[in-house]
Amino acid sequence: MAPSTDSNVKDENSQVSYKKDINTKTGRILQNKKHSNDIFDVIEYLQSEKDKEIIFATNACKRVFCQLFYRGDLYVGDLPQEEELMSGDRSAEEKYRIFMRHRYNNCVELLLENMGHEAFQVKEASLCALMKFVEAEGKHPLQNLDLIEHYIFPRDLFLSCTQTLVEHLLSTEEDMSLLISRFQEFLEMDDVRYYVMSSVRDNIYRVMGRNKKAVIPVYQNNVYTLLSNINVPSQGSKIKHFLVKQACKFALLPWYCPYKEHKRAFEQMWLLFLKFKLPSSMYKKILVILHESIMPQMSDPTLLIDFLSAAYDIGGAISLLALNGLFILIHKHNLDYPDFYKKLYSLLDPSIFHVKYRARFFHLVNIFLSSTHLPAYLVAAFVKRFARLSLTAPPTALLILLPFICNLIRRHPSCRVLIHRPSAPCDDPYVMEEEDPAQCHALESSLWEIKTLQKHYHPDVAKAAMKINEPLTEQEEEISEVLELSTFELMERDLKAERKTIPLEFDTATELLKSPREVLGVHFSLE
Amino acid sequence: MMRKQQTFSRGLSDKVRKSKAAPEIQKNPFEVKINRKKFDVLGRKSKHDVGLPGVSRSRAIQKRKDTLLKEFRLKDKNNTFIDRRFGEYDSKLTPEEKILQRFTLERQRTQDRKDMYNLNEEEELTHYGQSLAEMEKMTDVIDSDSDSEEKGLLSAELTATHFGGGGGLLRKKSAGDDEEEEHKPRSRQELIEELIIKSKQEKRERQTQKEEAQELTEKLDQEWKSIQNLLAHKTPKAERTDETDKPKLDQYDMMVRELGFEMKAQPSEKLKSAEELAREERQRLQTLEADRLKRMMGDAEEDAVQTNTHISADDMNDGFILDGDDRKTLAYKDGKWNIEGEEEEKEDEDGDEEGGEEEEEEDDEDDAEGEEDDEEGEDDDEDDADEDHCDLQSDEGSEDEDGQGAEEEQVCAEEPPAVSEEQKKAAQEAAKAELPYTFPAPESYSDLKQLLQGHGSEQQRLILDRTLKCNHPSLSAGNKAKLQKLFGFLLEYVGDLATQNPPDLRTVSALIPQICGLCQMFPEAACKAVQTLLSDSGHSMEETLEVKGRAPMPDLDMLVLLKITALLFPSSDFRHPVTTPAFLFLSQALTRCAVVSLEDVCKGLVLCCLALEYVSLSQRIFPELLNFLLGLLHLTVSDKHNMGYTVVSPFRRQGKSCDLLVLKDPNVSHSWNRKPISLQTAHRLPAQSPVERDHYRLSLIDSCLDLVKRCTWLYKDLPSYAHIFQPIRALLLKHLPVEGYPAPIQDLHREILDAIPEKPSQHAPLVFKKKKPIPLKLFTPKIVQILDYGKKRGNTKEEKERERLKHKYKREFKGALREIRKDTRFLAREKLSDVMSRCVKRKVKELYGSLATQEGEWKALKRKNRK
């Protein structure tokens, strides 16, 4: 206990001392140009070992240089070398400015270095300070004034800044999601976003090229986190939000007249990212957000077709997810996808009832099969396959599946033979292994599986299966409300229902493992 | 009085109205008035086209004279004499009819019950005019033979007089027909008289006979008494040697008194033979089973009425059951009165009474200890008595209709046979010696835990048993709530026992009867408690699933709870508030809980067993169960390539824990032998040697295969049987490393493969259920009843009826008004005529008077003149 308090005290002392030190020094620097050499000490703190000192120093630097920007105490124009400073014939004022400008450059370098620091707070503080500098530089350009007619963006700083930033953000070693989420507020700014997008593109190109297209999960995860945070506004007129605010009379520059440019940058960035091989979890993540946050922001979503068909061919849950994107392409962008239904048919296997994206899948399948112009053999094949798969499905899936099958039969009256065919007993002609829906003889079969499910243990399922006993009603059943039904919700239905009487088992038990229909006791013993 | 008068007057008026006018008047054209019709409607018959105003008026006046006038005359006059004999004023009745009617009325009056609710007042039953009660009071038995003889004797006269005689009798009498026809009433009277005389004679004869018989029996009695002493000596002597020294007279008196006080035989309980009892029990079970099946089909789902429990109108729904029902019914066994039980009971009771007395004596001695002890002692007695009842019932094995009784008794009856009787008794004695007899109902879970902890499982059961008995709802008002709470605590306690290390499942098993008993007492509370537990763990599982994507297998406490649920509630119901959620919980656990260790496999297997148990009666399909079994078998396969089946969640085709059941050492199968797996291993598998682990694996595989076999039995009849088992068949056939398994498992494997057909069997394609044909539309005319013609009143039937009645009322009201007016007019006229007549009399008198005075005066004058 004691030593720790000691160290605490010491810490406090040192803390107080360094705070005081930095505060007095920054005060002095700003007050009087005489003390401008103190800036060295402050900058030195940026290389300190202690996180707190660095953070404090960072904030101090931020304060100092912002003030200097504001005063115009930083040299504008091409910066002469520091060695030349003495030799040159300049006024003291000018010399001071050049000096300060050099310190500023030092400071920026150090801050960029600090971006790679292991402590998150340090990184965060450096990030904020840098962005602050970018903003200040935009207001008070350090470039030569001959370009004054154009809108000045602190390109040098910014490019270097974003590049290093992106480099750090998109680390190949560690997960940077925290910092990226911090960075997100700057991504709201349209100009920042634009430059970030282009530098991300470069970065991906470089990193992936270096790694010879192998999978780098951490890096790709970082990229994904950053990318998924980038949102291009849906309308060009909304691009008004800039980090560097200036009179907007120049509509020529890319980051200003930009909507198309923005979109293109966005598109190129994503396409580049998707071009490389991805881990399967990344596929899932991207596909989940693809139709909502990526496709609408692209100028030409059809370019995604390669990615989507590749994903669709992977199989399993990824295929299910790729369906959504494909659907949008087919539906809105006039894409022709040969053998779409055949592929969809082959997607159906017992695992579809157990994946997380079951609701989405059924929603889409419902849409795909809603057309009344589909051939009867195709619908029958789907119905029969669904019925066969239903033999392994959990009750929540069955509650979707059974009404869905009934709906399909309703939409396609020629499929009614599946539930009503007065003829002699026969084998099931349906071939489950056949991949082609046209060859599987589903239309000659009958839905014995649904008949089997009439004996399902859950009353709702059994009732739903009972419906095929009688001619189906005209009205289709709504399946959208059961799509998201979870087992617990289903359980609660029965738990909350009011019941007047509770029937009891009349054979009273005497032992745990002793009942008229004992199975557990046969295999297990109490001891 | 008034009522009588009214009826009487109404009778009169009816008579008056009915008398028809003479035909000559009807024909008299001066009397006839023809009502002119406005329209001639074809086919309509009118009663009123011709009227006889004069006749009807005179009839009305006559009627008033007969009724109203009479009343008027009698007005304000007290002491009227009304002859209220039946039909006195009815001139239409013949005197005989009058007499007959009066007789029947009299009989009816005597037999009318004065009070509907007075059950004691029974009508006096008679036989031949004699009260049966009187006859019963007679000391000797009525000679029933003669009775029946007389009853059987249907003499010709009798039938003739009573029923008019049969055809044969009529033929016989046909000769004297004309004679009889001439004076029919007289002959009838004569016949009746004759009959009366005859019956009187017979009666007299019977009486004399009876008297004679009585004398004879009395004589016999006296003779019997003289020998009875001899007989009475001997028989009791043989039985009770110790009581011989007592005087006989005493004994006799005692016997008499005993007999006097002995409860009268109750007609409600018939002596039941063993077969009858068995039949009754079977019937009870059959009805319960039928009820269960009905619920299974889902027919009775909405049927709120529970048929298996009869609820009396006086039931307060407090679980109180009349103790009287605990009495055993008499039963025959092999033609002998089934009496051993009773004897035992008697002995037991005797013993207990003695014990109780002793205790009381002790109490008396320890008076200083105060009242508390006394109370305790009393309680003890009660308890003892209760237990004895219990034991008794168990010995007896007799069945009661009463649910609680039956249950208690079953609880005791089916003691585990493993423990010998002596041991059990000894244990009970020991427990009795240690444990107090009364326990307060625990108010909280910690109370219960304190109460039960530190005792053996059998003792815990005893403590609980006593707690239940001490706090039976019939004993105090608050007990019901306490016991309801106790059920929840018990479940919690059971959960704790199952999760502690090592799990104490013996105790759980021992507590089952009590849990069952409580559940039978309070189904609603039990349902709520189990539902809460299910919902809680279901919810937590759902949450972990959402956060982590997968959940651990449920713990042993949940497994035990699911098992208890199956014991308490019928899992075969189509929908049940407890078992349906339990099904879903099982389903959830079987699809979403990761299997990463052998313990998980064991738990999963337990879940499978439970699932199979749940559906074994109803034969419902449980897809998750089959999926899980397939997944478990998949764990035994080491080579996971080109499979002919797909495994679904929670299993994966390949991965980290996908060869949990692959044997490490192929030689262990020789040393393996089949034995039940301990449930405790589901909680934590003890550290074992590799061989033991392999043995454990083999046991798991064995159980798994056995479950598959049971499933094949269960789902044999489903139309998709072959498709359901196709994956399992593929796995068993091609992938299961069965060569490395011991022989019993190989046998099992072969059996399963035999049970699953290679090719699906043929089935008839589905057809819709045949609907009832809708009857054709018929062209019969729709018949609408027209209540009255004329104006259409109202639309619906009720409205029409209302309107009709209104109309009728109006008409009647008008008629009544008119009648009243006529009445007053009539009365006024009568009064006037009275006055008039009175005036005339006075005038005549006056005239006579004046004439007399005139005459007198004239005579006086004459006399004077003479003088």
Side-chain angles (χ1 to χ4, degrees):
Chain A
M1 243 359 218
S4 70
T5 45
D6 266 6
S7 66
N8 272 350
V9 171
K10 245 186 234 167
D11 270 1
E12 260 172 47
N13 282 341
S14 64
Q15 211 173 4
V16 169
S17 66
Y18 80 76
K19 275 190 180 172
K20 212 186 236 170
D21 192 31
I22 293 174
N23 274 337
T24 48
K25 276 175 181 160
T26 48
R28 266 155 57 187
I29 294 166
L30 291 177
Q31 268 169 14
N32 202 330
K33 287 174 187 169
K34 269 184 211 166
H35 301 289
S36 49
N37 273 339
D38 286 343
I39 192 77
F40 281 114
D41 299 334
V42 178
I43 288 173
E44 210 164 288
Y45 271 113
L46 287 178
Q47 288 160 302
S48 162
E49 307 240 304
K50 286 174 187 162
D51 299 347
K52 282 179 183 169
E53 286 183 18
I54 300 176
I55 294 164
F56 202 80
T58 312
N59 289 334
C61 284
K62 191 167 79 181
R63 220 164 43 243
V64 169
F65 288 112
C66 282
Q67 191 66 30
L68 291 178
F69 266 116
Y70 180 69
R71 288 186 201 166
D73 277 352
L74 288 177
Y75 181 78
V76 178
D78 290 335
L79 188 66
Q81 289 298 306
E82 199 153 24
E83 293 81 47
E84 298 166 13
L85 188 63
M86 291 307 126
S87 60
D89 176 24
R90 287 162 221 262
S91 67
E93 183 73 8
E94 203 166 340
K95 278 180 184 169
Y96 170 72
R97 282 193 199 158
I98 293 170
F99 170 77
M100 271 315 190
R101 177 80 188 277
H102 276 290
R103 297 292 78 73
Y104 169 68
N105 286 354
N106 285 353
C107 177
V108 168
E109 270 167 34
L110 283 172
L111 283 178
L112 285 173
E113 240 171 68
N114 274 344
M115 286 294 296
H117 201 275
E118 61 260 26
F120 171 68
Q121 282 86 357
V122 176
K123 284 190 244 181
E124 191 191 353
S126 316
L127 179 69
C128 291
L130 280 171
M131 293 318 288
K132 196 85 192 165
F133 288 158
V134 172
E135 192 183 342
E137 213 173 310
K139 266 185 194 158
H140 312 279
L142 296 177
Q143 287 306 317
N144 225 336
L145 296 177
D146 57 346
L147 286 170
I148 195 77
E149 284 137 43
H150 299 287
Y151 173 80
I152 302 300
F153 191 79
R155 193 178 308 211
D156 284 353
L157 171 73
F158 196 78
L159 278 182
S160 63
C161 191
T162 42
Q163 261 169 21
T164 30
L165 235 169
V166 164
E167 209 124 299
H168 286 295
L169 286 179
L170 305 181
S171 158
T172 48
E173 276 104 40
E174 49 181 326
D175 186 19
M176 302 292 277
S177 48
L178 267 176
L179 199 62
I180 289 173
S181 61
R182 182 73 182 79
F183 189 59
Q184 198 188 355
E185 73 175 72
F186 299 106
L187 286 174
E188 299 283 305
M189 319 281 184
D190 295 300
D191 43 2
V192 178
R193 191 195 313 123
Y194 180 76
Y195 283 102
V196 166
M197 287 196 287
S198 50
S199 49
V200 164
R201 193 177 60 218
D202 296 346
N203 188 277
I204 294 172
Y205 194 72
R206 210 171 51 245
V207 173
M208 295 310 285
R210 198 168 58 218
N211 283 289
K212 299 190 181 70
K213 300 187 178 177
V215 179
I216 321 164
V218 181
Y219 174 73
Q220 280 172 328
N221 207 17
N222 282 332
V223 174
Y224 169 76
T225 321
L226 184 63
L227 259 55
S228 58
N229 277 323
I230 295 176
N231 284 311
V232 178
S234 53
Q235 286 170 344
S237 58
K238 278 187 187 164
I239 299 204
K240 284 175 186 164
H241 197 62
F242 297 107
L243 180 67
V244 180
K245 292 187 182 75
Q246 278 211 343
C248 308
K249 50 183 175 179
F250 322 103
L252 298 168
L253 291 175
W255 32 259
Y256 181 66
C257 70
Y259 187 54
K260 258 187 200 161
E261 291 296 321
H262 273 265
K263 268 197 154 183
R264 190 179 298 148
F266 182 82
E267 186 182 289
Q268 282 172 352
M269 171 183 79
W270 270 108
L271 284 176
L272 189 73
F273 178 53
L274 298 179
K275 213 168 86 180
F276 298 101
K277 200 179 169 196
L278 298 167
S280 61
S281 63
M282 184 58 63
Y283 263 115
K284 279 185 197 168
K285 276 185 188 172
I286 294 168
L287 287 169
V288 166
I289 62 160
L290 188 76
H291 69 289
E292 270 174 2
S293 44
I294 303 176
M295 285 179 109
Q297 299 176 28
M298 290 174 72
S299 57
D300 187 7
T302 45
L303 293 173
L304 279 173
I305 182 65
D306 289 337
F307 170 71
L308 282 175
S309 32
Y312 195 43
D313 289 338
I314 287 175
I318 295 172
S319 304
L320 298 189
L321 288 170
L323 265 183
N324 210 339
L326 274 182
F327 170 68
I328 292 171
L329 290 186
I330 293 170
H331 182 60
K332 295 199 176 136
H333 301 280
N334 227 1
L335 182 85
D336 185 26
Y337 196 95
D339 289 341
F340 177 77
Y341 282 103
K342 199 172 158 185
K343 219 156 202 177
L344 183 64
Y345 180 74
S346 62
L347 267 185
L348 305 179
D349 72 344
S351 63
I352 54 168
F353 302 119
H354 298 275
V355 290
K356 225 165 52 182
Y357 316 104
R358 186 178 65 197
R360 182 199 288 249
F361 175 70
F362 275 103
H363 171 73
L364 287 171
V365 172
N366 190 24
I367 292 171
F368 296 147
L369 295 177
S370 60
S371 164
T372 46
H373 297 295
L374 294 174
Y377 77 86
L378 186 75
V379 176
F382 270 99
V383 165
K384 183 67 187 174
R385 196 170 180 94
F386 272 127
R388 187 60 69 80
L389 294 178
S390 71
L391 289 176
T392 61
T396 43
L398 286 173
L399 285 178
I400 304 171
L401 203 53
L402 291 171
F404 179 56
I405 287 176
C406 289
N407 282 352
L408 283 181
I409 296 174
R410 279 189 190 108
R411 279 175 211 158
H412 302 273
S414 47
C415 292
R416 216 179 72 135
V417 289
L418 288 176
I419 53 171
H420 181 71
R421 185 206 307 278
S423 71
C426 58
D427 287 332
D428 194 348
Y430 175 70
V431 188
M432 182 76 172
E433 290 75 27
E434 179 60 55
E435 298 249 312
D436 186 359
Q439 309 285 318
C440 66
H441 305 289
L443 212 48
E444 295 144 42
S445 182
S446 201
L447 297 181
W448 289 289
E449 292 84 0
I450 311 292
K451 184 94 184 160
T452 307
L453 285 178
Q454 290 178 357
K455 294 221 68 164
H456 195 269
Y457 66 88
H458 197 270
D460 293 346
V461 174
K463 269 187 192 166
M466 295 285 189
K467 287 198 176 147
I468 61 150
N469 280 349
E470 273 145 32
L472 295 170
T473 49
E474 286 291 307
Q475 188 65 36
E476 283 194 15
E477 285 163 79
E478 191 59 47
I479 62 165
S480 59
E481 59 223 28
V482 288
L483 279 179
E484 303 277 358
L485 188 73
S486 74
T487 314
F488 182 65
E489 281 163 356
L490 198 59
M491 219 162 132
E492 273 193 326
R493 278 190 194 173
D494 271 301
L495 291 173
K496 290 198 173 145
E498 284 287 316
R499 290 282 297 236
K500 278 177 203 155
T501 55
I502 293 106
L504 297 178
E505 187 71 46
F506 56 83
D507 300 319
T508 45
T510 53
E511 275 180 69
L512 189 63
L513 299 184
K514 207 172 184 186
S515 68
R517 289 168 290 280
E518 187 62 49
V519 180
L520 188 64
V522 177
H523 298 287
F524 290 89
S525 65
L526 290 174
E527 292 306 324
Chain B
M1 189 67 134
M2 272 311 280
R3 243 197 70 195
K4 267 289 168 197
Q5 273 187 350
Q6 270 176 5
T7 53
F8 146 74
S9 59
R10 195 184 300 143
L12 262 185
S13 61
D14 285 345
K15 200 184 73 188
V16 171
R17 194 182 298 137
K18 272 168 197 160
S19 64
K20 279 267 175 197
E24 54 267 27
I25 296 174
Q26 277 188 354
K27 280 170 193 161
N28 187 352
F30 294 104
E31 291 280 0
V32 176
K33 182 183 182 268
I34 293 167
N35 294 323
R36 194 175 64 86
K37 269 188 248 171
K38 264 187 183 164
F39 313 105
D40 214 9
V41 179
L42 204 73
R44 178 192 279 182
K45 275 182 191 169
S46 169
K47 282 186 211 163
H48 308 295
D49 45 358
V50 177
L52 297 169
V55 173
S56 58
R57 191 175 301 128
S58 70
R59 203 188 284 154
I61 290 168
Q62 187 56 43
K63 185 177 142 195
R64 288 204 168 76
K65 262 183 193 156
D66 283 351
T67 56
L68 193 64
L69 192 63
K70 266 185 185 158
E71 267 181 61
F72 179 70
R73 295 276 180 245
L74 291 173
K75 211 176 97 182
D76 299 330
K77 290 199 172 56
N78 296 331
N79 299 334
T80 47
F81 176 80
I82 298 155
D83 193 348
R84 290 198 292 173
R85 283 175 300 165
F86 179 82
E88 189 55 32
Y89 297 100
D90 201 343
S91 54
K92 270 182 119 185
L93 286 174
T94 57
E96 295 97 72
E97 277 173 339
K98 240 184 241 178
I99 289 166
L100 262 175
Q101 296 267 30
R102 279 177 191 168
F103 181 68
T104 48
L105 271 175
E106 198 186 356
R107 294 302 296 268
Q108 274 173 0
R109 204 176 301 131
T110 53
Q111 290 189 356
D112 260 352
R113 240 185 220 159
K114 276 179 194 127
D115 192 354
M116 225 176 122
Y117 300 101
N118 194 351
L119 296 172
N120 292 328
E121 197 195 51
E122 285 173 338
E123 65 178 270
E124 205 183 28
L125 294 175
T126 55
H127 183 69
Y128 279 96
Q130 278 178 306
S131 125
L132 279 178
E134 288 286 313
M135 287 207 288
E136 267 172 347
K137 269 177 204 163
M138 298 284 187
T139 43
D140 61 340
V141 196
I142 304 163
D143 35 356
S144 51
D145 311 16
S146 62
D147 252 0
S148 65
E149 264 176 37
E150 276 193 357
K151 258 185 192 166
L153 204 143
L154 267 173
S155 68
E157 297 99 299
L158 201 76
T159 44
T161 45
H162 281 251
F163 311 110
L169 295 170
L170 279 175
R171 224 178 297 129
K172 200 184 89 187
K173 277 176 187 170
S174 60
D177 254 356
D178 39 3
E179 271 180 26
E180 276 182 19
E181 265 179 17
E182 272 179 10
H183 37 249
K184 200 183 173 187
R186 258 201 66 202
S187 74
R188 194 182 165 77
Q189 216 167 7
E190 275 177 359
L191 268 173
I192 290 170
E193 274 166 12
E194 245 174 61
L195 207 74
I196 291 168
I197 291 164
K198 226 180 190 175
S199 70
K200 271 181 182 171
Q201 244 178 357
E202 277 171 0
K203 208 172 166 186
R204 223 170 289 135
E205 274 173 22
R206 244 183 293 134
Q207 229 157 14
T208 50
Q209 260 184 2
K210 209 190 291 166
E211 271 164 16
E212 276 172 18
Q214 206 175 345
E215 269 175 29
L216 278 172
T217 42
E218 268 170 20
K219 211 173 149 190
L220 194 70
D221 268 354
Q222 273 178 350
E223 280 173 1
W224 161 248
K225 266 173 196 164
S226 63
I227 16 173
Q228 196 202 16
N229 286 346
L230 302 170
L231 284 168
H233 258 308
K234 292 224 166 163
T235 39
K237 226 179 189 174
E239 282 178 8
R240 302 169 203 181
T241 44
D242 52 338
E243 288 172 24
T244 40
D245 46 354
K246 283 183 183 175
K248 292 153 206 166
L249 203 77
D250 265 0
Q251 204 185 5
Y252 174 74
D253 281 351
M254 264 170 65
M255 222 170 86
V256 168
R257 242 168 249 160
E258 263 178 31
L259 286 171
F261 286 124
E262 199 181 51
M263 239 210 292
K264 285 214 171 110
Q266 286 190 332
S268 57
E269 286 292 340
K270 207 177 122 196
L271 293 185
K272 282 172 186 164
S273 67
E275 294 98 77
E276 271 180 324
L277 280 176
R279 201 186 311 130
E280 251 175 43
E281 177 60 17
R282 205 180 59 224
Q283 256 171 7
R284 188 181 75 92
L285 287 176
Q286 270 171 354
T287 48
L288 286 171
E289 191 65 36
D291 201 38
R292 186 217 289 267
L293 286 176
K294 217 162 85 182
R295 277 184 276 128
M296 188 165 105
M297 303 310 292
D299 299 336
E301 201 190 354
E302 309 308 327
D303 203 14
V305 187
Q306 209 179 358
T307 46
N308 57 353
T309 54
H310 168 74
I311 297 170
S312 142
D314 296 330
D315 197 344
M316 315 275 274
N317 195 18
D318 53 2
F320 176 75
I321 288 138
L322 207 64
D323 279 334
D325 279 4
D326 287 348
R327 266 185 288 115
K328 301 180 289 87
T329 45
L330 287 174
Y332 281 116
K333 201 182 211 173
D334 306 325
K336 272 183 160 185
W337 196 7
N338 198 358
I339 210 161
E340 315 93 51
E342 276 204 352
E343 279 170 5
E344 277 180 30
E345 177 182 28
K346 256 188 192 153
E347 280 170 20
D348 276 4
E349 269 180 2
D350 285 354
D352 265 277
E353 270 164 22
E354 280 166 23
E357 276 163 17
E358 277 169 18
E359 277 176 16
E360 274 174 6
E361 280 167 18
E362 280 170 17
D363 283 349
D364 286 2
E365 285 167 14
D366 305 352
D367 257 353
E369 284 186 28
E371 287 183 6
E372 290 170 10
D373 274 22
D374 265 326
E375 280 174 349
E376 218 175 78
E378 277 164 25
D379 280 352
D380 290 0
D381 287 359
E382 278 177 23
D383 263 14
D384 280 3
D386 273 0
E387 268 158 35
D388 280 321
H389 265 289
C390 208
D391 288 352
L392 238 183
Q393 283 170 334
S394 73
D395 291 339
E396 184 68 17
S398 72
E399 301 289 341
D400 268 352
E401 288 291 329
D402 168 19
Q404 199 210 336
E407 152 238 312
E408 265 185 22
E409 148 221 310
Q410 279 188 358
V411 165
C412 303
E414 292 172 34
E415 294 284 10
V419 191
S420 72
E421 284 299 302
E422 288 87 1
Q423 274 180 335
K424 200 177 80 190
K425 276 224 169 119
Q428 274 186 350
E429 285 305 317
K432 271 180 194 167
E434 288 169 25
L435 297 171
Y437 288 97
T438 57
F439 294 95
E443 294 289 332
S444 67
Y445 174 56
S446 52
D447 281 359
L448 178 76
K449 216 169 171 181
Q450 264 182 354
L451 196 66
L452 295 178
Q453 248 171 6
H455 294 286
S457 55
E458 202 54 33
Q459 280 176 332
Q460 291 193 13
R461 192 184 68 77
L462 211 61
I463 291 172
L464 214 59
D465 201 29
R466 287 179 183 174
T467 316
L468 293 190
K469 278 187 182 138
C470 294
N471 297 289
H472 195 268
S474 57
L475 299 177
S476 153
N479 282 349
K480 194 181 165 192
K482 278 184 197 164
L483 288 188
Q484 283 181 346
K485 267 193 281 176
L486 181 62
F487 185 82
F489 300 151
L490 261 181
L491 285 187
E492 211 174 323
Y493 182 65
V494 164
D496 268 13
L497 286 178
T499 42
Q500 76 189 25
N501 199 12
D504 190 0
L505 295 173
R506 277 257 164 257
T507 313
V508 174
S509 182
L511 295 181
I512 290 294
Q514 270 63 41
I515 293 175
C516 280
L518 269 178
C519 178
Q520 298 276 351
M521 259 196 253
F522 313 109
E524 284 85 8
C527 169
K528 265 268 140 359
V530 179
Q531 275 186 337
T532 326
L533 286 177
L534 279 176
S535 138
D536 283 354
S537 56
H539 186 65
S540 63
M541 190 191 280
E542 185 84 8
E543 271 184 346
T544 24
L545 275 176
E546 259 169 35
V547 175
K548 286 188 195 163
R550 61 181 192 178
M553 273 282 174
D555 274 332
L556 201 52
D557 59 336
M558 238 6 245
L559 303 183
V560 168
L561 178 75
L562 287 170
K563 175 68 198 170
I564 291 176
T565 308
L567 293 179
L568 297 183
F569 302 103
S571 52
S572 58
D573 282 14
F574 185 68
R575 188 189 279 277
H576 189 279
V578 180
T579 49
T580 307
F583 263 119
L584 286 171
F585 185 84
L586 275 177
S587 150
Q588 176 90 324
L590 286 177
T591 46
R592 309 300 293 274
C593 292
V595 178
V596 290
S597 64
L598 274 182
E599 285 95 331
D600 287 342
V601 174
C602 182
K603 280 178 189 169
L605 213 50
V606 172
L607 286 173
C608 287
C609 287
L610 287 171
L612 198 59
E613 231 169 83
Y614 273 48
V615 294
S616 54
L617 180 70
S618 54
Q619 301 197 323
R620 299 228 157 86
I621 180 168
F622 206 134
E624 295 88 323
L625 166 66
L626 295 161
N627 289 346
F628 197 87
L629 287 176
L630 176 72
L632 281 184
L633 289 175
H634 177 69
L635 298 184
T636 63
V637 180
S638 48
D639 177 28
K640 316 264 184 194
H641 295 294
N642 58 50
M643 311 183 299
Y645 55 91
T646 37
V647 287
V648 292
S649 166
F651 298 98
R652 274 171 295 169
R653 207 165 75 85
Q654 275 170 312
K656 202 169 53 175
S657 46
C658 271
D659 42 11
L660 277 173
L661 290 177
V662 177
L663 296 183
K664 299 283 177 279
D665 179 9
N667 296 325
V668 289
S669 60
H670 304 298
S671 52
W672 178 81
N673 47 1
R674 189 180 278 173
K675 63 169 188 283
I677 308 164
S678 164
L679 268 178
Q680 295 183 354
T681 53
H683 184 64
R684 181 183 294 168
L685 202 58
Q688 286 168 327
S689 65
V691 175
E692 277 175 327
R693 282 185 88 81
D694 271 353
H695 279 169
Y696 188 64
R697 282 194 184 103
L698 279 173
S699 295
L700 289 175
I701 293 167
D702 177 47
S703 306
C704 187
L705 283 174
D706 186 59
L707 288 180
V708 172
K709 199 177 85 181
R710 282 165 189 270
C711 284
T712 57
W713 287 344
L714 202 61
Y715 299 136
K716 238 185 351 257
D717 299 328
L718 290 178
S720 306
Y721 172 63
H723 294 303
I724 292 171
F725 285 95
Q726 197 49 50
I728 290 182
R729 187 185 146 81
L731 193 152
L732 290 182
L733 202 62
K734 291 179 190 146
H735 301 279
L736 193 75
V738 77
E739 303 80 33
Y741 291 154
I745 296 184
Q746 286 189 3
D747 290 346
L748 210 54
H749 174 251
R750 207 166 33 249
E751 276 176 45
I752 297 167
L753 281 182
D754 288 344
I756 307 173
E758 196 178 347
K759 261 188 79 180
S761 54
Q762 294 195 335
H763 290 286
L766 300 184
V767 284
F768 292 138
K769 259 189 203 164
K770 272 198 184 121
K771 272 204 284 186
K772 255 192 201 167
I774 301 165
L776 290 174
K777 269 189 181 169
L778 298 178
F779 293 104
T780 43
K782 192 181 170 191
I783 297 168
V784 182
Q785 196 191 359
I786 297 169
L787 293 168
D788 56 349
Y789 297 94
K791 239 197 306 187
K792 195 178 174 233
R793 295 185 179 91
N795 288 321
T796 61
K797 207 175 172 187
E798 289 81 35
E799 245 177 275
K800 271 183 195 162
E801 182 66 16
R802 223 175 82 83
E803 288 294 325
R804 197 179 64 80
L805 285 176
K806 240 175 161 177
H807 180 68
K808 204 174 172 184
Y809 159 76
K810 215 171 167 184
R811 267 197 342 222
E812 288 291 320
F813 182 76
K814 273 183 182 168
L817 219 60
R818 200 162 49 229
E819 287 297 305
I820 289 169
R821 277 195 201 113
K822 277 181 184 165
D823 280 358
T824 44
R825 223 177 288 148
F826 172 78
L827 277 181
R829 206 161 47 232
E830 283 300 318
K831 273 181 198 167
L832 186 70
S833 71
D834 278 1
V835 170
M836 288 301 285
S837 64
R838 246 181 278 140
C839 286
V840 169
K841 270 179 190 166
R842 201 176 58 224
K843 233 167 213 169
V844 169
K845 242 182 210 170
E846 273 173 20
L847 281 176
Y848 271 117
S850 67
L851 281 177
T853 42
Q854 223 176 348
E855 182 76 5
E857 278 171 9
W858 182 71
K859 277 190 178 163
L861 206 70
K862 219 167 130 180
R863 239 179 271 135
K864 231 182 242 174
N865 289 345
R866 257 191 219 163
K867 280 171 190 175

